Structure formats: C-alpha cells, structure tokens
Amino acid sequence: MTNSVRTRFAPSPTGYPHVGNIRTALFAWLFARHYEGSFIVRIEDTDVTRKVKGAVEAILDSLRWLGLDWDEGPYFQSERLEIYHKAAKRLVSQGDAYYCYCSPQRLKEMRAEQVKHKQPPGYDRHCRDLSQEERAQKEAEGVIPVVRFKTPLEGQTGFNDLIWGDVVFDNSTIDDFILLKSDGYPTYHLANVVDDHLMGITHVLRAEEWLSSTPRHLLLYQALGFKPPQFAHLPMLLGAGRAKLSKRHGAVSITEYREQGYLPEAMVNFLALLGWSRDDRTEVLSRQELIDNFSLERVSRTAAIFNRDKLNWMNGVYIRSLALEDFTQRALPFLNKGLPLEVERPLPMEYVRQIMPLIQERARTLAEVPELAQFLFVDELDYAPSLLIAKNMSQVSTVKALELAKQRLEQLEVFDAESLEAMLRPLAVELGLKTGQLFGTLRVAVTGQIAAPPLFQTMAVLGKERCLRRIEVALAKL
Ligand code: GLU
C-alpha cells in the first residue's frame, strides 16, 4: 500500500474536540504514517446552525499540540458548495435524486403519525414521484425544495469493514435521505462522499457511530459512479464503569489536558491504546513505535474504556523519562502560575534547577509541580504541630530530638545529602529512636508534609540556614 494510502480527519466544528474525536484523528494519522501515505484535514462545516465559534481553531490547535501533522488542508466544505450542488444536480438529472417540497409542518405531522403507529422514522417519499406539473406548481409558489436521494426500495447494500467484517443492510430500512438542504448547504452524507472521492481518500477511519450511515454512502458512491474507499469503524469509547463517556470521565476538550499538565507524547500513547494494542503487554510506546506497529488488525471491536488513572500513571512515566532541562522548561510555566504570589518572581533559576530532580520523581502531571514544590519556596509552612510527633513519640521526646538535631546540623560543615545521612542515622541511635521516627519528625519540620521527596536531598537543596530556621519554628510550635 506504500505511497498510495490517503486518510483524513473530517471533524464537524460543532464543539471543542474531545478525546473521542482526537482518538479518531490519531488512528487515521497513524495509519497514514505507517504506510507512508498522506493525512488530510477537512472541516465539515455544512451545518450552519450547529457551528461553534472557535471550534476550528481548537481542533487544529489540538492536532498541532499532539504533533498530528497533516499533508493537505484544512479544506472547508463551506467553501466548496458549488461542487456539491453540481453533484446533486447530476443525481437529479440521472433520476437518482429528486426535489422534495414538503414543508417542515408536513414532515412534523408525518413524524407524529409514525410515532403513533409505532412505525420506524423516515421520509414517506411523498415527493418521490411528483409529476412535471405538480413540481412546476410548487416552484411557482416559491417553495424552496430540498434534494433527496432516491433510495432503491429493494435489495441490500453491504461492504467489508476492515474492523467489523461483512456488514449488510436492507435497502428497505434506508429512507430517502436529504442530500441538499433548503439553505443551499449539502448534508453530511453528500459532502462527505463527494469529498472523500475528490480528495482521493483510500481509507475512511471513523467512529463506530457512522457505521449505519455507510450504506447510504455506498449507494451514493454507486449512483455517482465513484469507487468507494475502504471503511474502518473504530470501537466506541466508554468511561469508567462502561458508562457513556462524559465530562467526568474525560470527554473534556483535549486542550484542557494540556492545561492540566499532560504531556502530548503521553497523551498520544494513551489515546493510541484506546482500541488498539501492540500485544497484550506493551503499554509504553514511543511515537515511532506506534507508527511502526500500527495496524487495523489489532484494532478491537469491543468498546475502549477511558481510564484516567492509567493516563495519570502514563503521564508520570513520560515525565520521569524527560531530560531534566526539558522537564524544567515544561514545568516552569506551571510553577510561575501556581506558586503563591508571595514567592518572588522571577524564580531563582539556579535553585529551580536544584529542586527539579526531586519533583520530577513525584509529579504525575505538570500541574502538580507547584503543589509538590511549594514547600521549597515559601517562608512559612502551614501544618498541624501534631504532625511533628512521630509514632510512639511524645512531645518531650520530639522536642529533645529536634533540639539535638538542630545543634548537630549547626555544626555540619558540608551540607549535602551524604553528610546529612552520615550524621542523622547515628543520631537516631543516640536518641534511642528508630530512624523512621527521627526522620519523620524532621521531614515534617523542614517540609511541613508527611510525604515528601527523599529527606536528605530535600534538606540539602533547602540549605542549612533554611533547615535550621524551620526546625526553630517547629520547636516553637511544640
Ligand atoms: N463530520 C463527521 C464527524 O464529525 C465525519 C464522520 C466521517 O469521518 O465520515 O464525525
């Protein structure tokens, strides 16, 4: 298939792109890149009533953020109306489509009747066989018609989906769907088929929800004399507990993940595994490994579950794999924004570089960095004094431990992690404490937290002066 594959991402700008949309884009992109083909972006903006301002920019912005580069486009269907009009006219003149003059009122009544008689929805073909005169009269009345497809009343339409295998629909279940609306815009079906043909799309990868539209598309391809592309309908995405994916599960706009401190490379890896897998084990795959290994054979039919814990875990893996300077640069905007205002800006970069290794080990998202690093910047720590008293210790033994630790720290000349450890371990023995007790107390005194990065490294970056001051404050609290 080398060089001939052409896929596309064809979003409708009816909202901000969510996880599902971008997963579709990613799969189409991976497929194109795997076969060294082309990836095309086409904006399907033919539903004027549902257009959302800023959606197009958000879509393109998301693709750029994730590095899903495209070779052609973005094409806008709203700029190609002429093309769809021509196609619709051609279908009418060859007898495969017709003008329909039914008023919204009539359609509404028809629908109500269908509901009443428990009939399936669909146009009742009222205008399918209007005579020349009847049409002329409607035109004279100034009714603006829509164009409908003349769906064959019998027979079947089937195809071989690259994921679902053979799929067959009875034509009798397909109504005479609209091709051209009265506002002059084409419907999705018409514009989609015409463009996939004109843009030379070889493989349509799209969400499962479009599977049932495909027979209509195939009928259109046939009527227009176009060779249809191959179809691959991607499995549904569900949230935890197999519920419909909602905001709570992560159906938020994909750009929000950037704001929440997810790395694009982690996001790409995570999204790729929503319905595809390389094998039953491998979770972490680089962009290149994804491209090299991607295949539709390994796309599953079962719904993929969006698991935020897994995303957090994976993002942490990617964060820890970053070079320190890279991590620092990516975390910096979050630090600047998230640290309390009292921390002076610009932040002291030398110090920032010293603390970053400690934070990189623990952060799952960049947005967590300010919270994790806060104690390394602020003057006053806010914690409950009771936290200072470690398990099986009393206030008296805690005071004693902190006082002695303070004295010894004052005398320490080289204030690095090794020297601190060499001094503090024997001190625990001397005090008759377990190391966990002494270190626990010290940890709370110098960090204000029970869980923090490794104690000696943390004390070393904080520096002697700051550690001593914090121990004094702790003693005062006791
Ligand atoms: N505009 C459709 C959507 O937003 C495209 C479906 C397709 O790929 O054919 O999902």
Side-chain angles (χ1 to χ4, degrees), residues 348-361:
M349 278 314 289
E350 206 182 313
Y351 183 60
V352 168
R353 291 208 164 81
Q354 278 172 19
I355 64 158
M356 277 308 179
L358 300 177
I359 303 303
Q360 187 175 13
E361 278 308 307

Side-chain angles (χ1 to χ4, degrees), residues 7-146:
T7 66
R8 56 23 171 216
F9 176 47
S12 305
T14 52
Y16 281 54
H18 56 70
V19 174
N21 303 133
I22 299 298
R23 194 270 313 249
T24 300
L26 173 62
F27 280 34
W29 180 84
L30 283 172
F31 190 78
R33 292 293 171 255
H34 178 84
Y35 290 105
E36 293 170 30
S38 301
F39 177 62
I40 291 141
V41 174
R42 180 174 78 224
I43 305 295
E44 302 207 321
D45 54 351
T46 58
D47 193 342
V48 195
T49 56
R50 293 181 57 216
K51 251 185 219 179
V52 167
K53 227 179 142 212
V56 170
E57 257 325 301
I59 290 164
L60 300 179
D61 190 31
S62 307
L63 295 178
R64 284 189 204 106
W65 178 55
L66 295 172
L68 307 186
D69 54 334
W70 56 92
D71 305 292
E72 283 174 39
Y75 297 109
F76 290 84
Q77 290 189 325
S78 58
E79 293 169 4
R80 300 164 55 80
L81 299 184
E82 217 27 52
I83 297 172
Y84 315 122
H85 286 195
K86 267 200 194 131
K89 278 215 182 93
R90 178 146 81 81
L91 287 169
V92 172
S93 64
Q94 42 184 76
D96 287 311
Y98 59 92
Y99 292 104
C100 164
Y101 302 87
C102 290
S103 65
Q105 184 56 30
R106 177 175 185 276
L107 294 174
K108 211 173 135 195
E109 283 160 18
M110 174 199 80
R111 182 73 203 111
E113 279 297 301
Q114 287 169 340
V115 171
K116 205 164 109 194
H117 297 104
K118 296 203 164 59
Q119 288 164 343
Y123 180 59
D124 63 1
R125 305 195 156 108
H126 180 79
C127 295
R128 185 164 163 132
D129 298 305
L130 290 188
S131 66
Q132 198 73 37
E133 295 75 54
E134 286 169 312
R135 262 211 309 276
Q137 192 192 331
K138 290 288 182 189
E139 297 283 344
E141 286 169 17
V143 180
I144 301 173
V146 303

Side-chain angles (χ1 to χ4, degrees), residues 8 10-12 44 188 192 204-206 210:
R8 56 23 171 216
S12 305
E44 302 207 321
Y188 156 69
N192 189 270
V204 168
L205 277 70
R206 63 182 172 201
W210 301 109

Side-chain angles (χ1 to χ4, degrees), residues 157 159 169 171 174 210-220:
T157 301
F159 63 103
F169 288 79
N171 292 338
I174 307 169
W210 301 109
L211 190 67
S212 58
S213 292
T214 308
R216 298 176 190 204
H217 298 175
L218 287 165
L219 290 169
L220 269 176

Side-chain angles (χ1 to χ4, degrees), residues 189 222 265 341:
H189 302 300
Q222 206 175 13
E265 45 274 66
L341 288 176

